[in-house]
Amino acid sequence: MPKISVITAAYGPSAHHLAEAARSVQAQQLPPGWSLEWIVQEDGDNPVLANMLGAHAHYDRNGTRLGIAATRNLALARATGALVQNLDHDDVLLPHALATLIARFEQHPIHWAVGAADDLLEDGTRQSWDSALPFGLIPAGHVNQWAEQHGGNWPVHGGGLMMRTDTLRAIGGWTGIPVDDDLAALAAISELADGWNDRTVTWLYRKHRAQTTQNSLYAGLEDTGRRIALQRAKAIRNIAGPTLSTGAAFDSDSADVEVGPNIKLTP
């Protein structure tokens, strides 16, 4: 049975909307034959979220503050699905979200897909946006070419991506930077492989004062993540080009590995 892993990096002091994210995962209407695992990884020195989550969540904690990229990657290490769906702890998946995008992977040899998103405002209203890209199949490199032509602003939101798990692991997971780690991962995957931009609104991007992008800890880094993403896309284009195949349809065994004792810790 193919499986999809929904990955959520959470941080207690700003996880005010985690319960709503949890309800949105539980409400997913999966295609026949598919199963779902929700992997929640909590960042921070003082974990507080375990009791807020039901038994359906595969929860673990960092035990220290590592940042969002490392937290997502620790969750990725526990993923056993052939596909990964990112879900930030303050965003919402609409009930048809996973089924809509899974169907695109079944129909096309793609490595990533994203649905349209409405902004979810603090008063509970939604604001929609027109897509800057055409809907449907997006050729490798097209997303980053658009970004290069528009001052390092991307027409696709990395926070809503569904990706092949093996592809995400192959590029090193979410990029290890304090901001825009999802954007830099999108830059790499979309430069290497075709994807899909779906016209269906599949998720809600919450706009609120406590979100990471408005955190004063990241003052001065507003442009750094986008610059790194552009550099990454250009480097891949220069030395690699689109060479990825889709491999076996949804037969992901990359999580089925074993490690022995760490010889560096042996006396």
Side-chain angles (χ1 to χ4, degrees):
M1 175 182 291
K3 181 188 299 180
I4 183 164
S5 303
V6 177
I7 285 183
T8 297
Y11 179 55
S14 57
H16 310 301
H17 304 284
L18 181 60
E20 189 174 357
R23 289 192 293 271
S24 78
V25 173
Q26 289 181 293
Q28 289 303 298
Q29 303 159 356
L30 295 176
W34 281 79
S35 65
L36 180 154
E37 63 179 6
W38 185 32
I39 302 177
V40 180
Q41 188 80 25
E42 183 177 1
D43 195 15
D45 300 318
N46 300 299
V48 296
L49 300 177
N51 293 333
M52 294 176 54
L53 301 167
H56 67 290
H58 300 265
Y59 169 84
D60 202 358
R61 59 191 185 274
N62 296 350
T64 189
R65 188 76 189 272
L66 298 177
I68 191 168
T71 302
R72 283 172 168 157
N73 286 325
L74 288 174
L76 178 61
R78 298 191 284 124
T80 61
L83 297 175
V84 163
Q85 170 70 52
N86 185 69
L87 175 64
D88 287 353
H89 66 186
D90 49 2
D91 292 338
V92 175
L93 291 176
L94 298 178
H96 55 275
L98 299 184
T100 298
L101 297 186
I102 286 172
R104 303 311 182 191
F105 284 88
E106 292 177 326
Q107 297 159 356
H108 306 281
I110 57 174
H111 287 254
W112 61 272
V114 67
D118 284 353
D119 283 352
L120 180 58
L121 306 181
E122 290 192 278
D123 63 2
T125 60
R126 289 163 53 172
Q127 181 176 2
S128 61
W129 300 92
D130 293 331
S131 176
L133 291 179
F135 294 114
L137 189 68
I138 305 297
H142 188 78
V143 171
N144 296 319
Q145 290 168 11
W146 193 99
E148 289 171 343
Q149 295 165 6
H150 293 81
N153 293 284
W154 266 259
V156 174
H157 200 303
L161 279 182
M162 183 181 290
M163 298 162 280
R164 289 185 180 271
T165 308
D166 281 349
T167 310
L168 181 58
R169 287 184 170 133
I171 66 162
W174 283 276
T175 310
I177 52 180
V179 293
D180 294 323
D181 60 301
D182 53 349
L183 187 61
L186 164 66
I189 288 180
S190 66
E191 189 65 34
L192 288 165
D194 297 346
W196 187 273
N197 181 35
D198 208 280
R199 68 173 61 249
T200 306
V201 177
T202 60
W203 64 294
L204 305 180
Y205 176 68
R206 191 184 300 274
K207 305 292 287 290
H208 60 101
R209 284 166 286 184
Q211 64 191 134
T212 302
T213 53
Q214 298 188 36
N215 193 316
S216 61
L217 292 175
Y218 299 102
L221 296 178
E222 294 87 354
D223 300 333
T224 304
R226 295 185 297 121
R227 182 177 295 109
I228 290 171
L230 282 177
Q231 291 170 338
R232 194 174 195 194
K234 186 174 181 179
I236 291 172
R237 190 179 310 147
N238 287 343
I239 67 173
T243 59
L244 298 183
S245 65
T246 55
F250 297 107
D251 183 18
S252 176
D253 62 356
S254 62
D256 187 18
V257 297
E258 295 183 6
V259 295
N262 188 340
I263 61 174
K264 292 185 290 186
L265 301 180
T266 302

